[in-house]
Amino acid sequence: MTRYRILAMVVGTLLVLLTIGMVLKYGPTDMPGMVAVVSPIHGFFYMVYLVAAYDLWRRTGWPLSRMVLIVLGGVVPLMTFFVERRIVQEARALGGAEAPARA
């Protein structure tokens, strides 16, 4: 679950930065530089986030609707932070989702 939490925070932060970059690019300032840098990084981390989300979903046995919520968390700005908090609370309530870290 730690992987999911870290990736959710990284993807959420990058999505906020990407949103700011889109405003700068298409707004009155016309500054596309930030989008050019942040969008591929966000894309990469979002793919890794999807793998971690799938792993968490598979281990918990949640319904498909929960997986859809997790996936949307990385697409809608600021939603990632709320989804991460809710998913982690529910996973901890299940008890078996937290595995010890392996070195």
Side-chain angles (χ1 to χ4, degrees):
M1 184 167 36
T2 303
R3 283 180 300 207
Y4 167 75
R5 292 188 76 192
I6 291 170
L7 285 167
M9 291 299 143
V10 169
V11 168
T13 303
L14 287 170
L15 188 56
V16 169
L17 290 174
L18 183 58
T19 303
I20 292 169
M22 295 298 274
V23 170
L24 291 174
K25 180 178 180 178
Y26 294 109
T29 58
D30 191 31
M31 297 170 56
M34 186 171 178
V35 171
V37 172
V38 174
S39 61
I41 297 170
H42 169 71
F44 172 77
F45 277 105
Y46 183 68
M47 289 186 288
V48 177
Y49 169 79
L50 290 178
V51 172
Y54 173 76
D55 181 51
L56 180 63
W57 173 73
R58 184 185 52 79
R59 287 187 292 137
T60 56
W62 285 329
L64 185 60
S65 60
R66 189 72 42 89
M67 179 64 181
V68 170
L69 177 69
I70 295 171
V71 168
L72 285 176
V75 176
V76 179
L78 298 177
M79 187 175 170
T80 309
F81 304 108
F82 297 104
V83 170
E84 182 270 335
R85 185 180 248 342
R86 179 177 171 193
I87 292 300
V88 167
Q89 287 175 350
E90 292 177 8
R92 284 185 177 157
L94 286 175
E98 183 91 40
R102 296 180 194 164

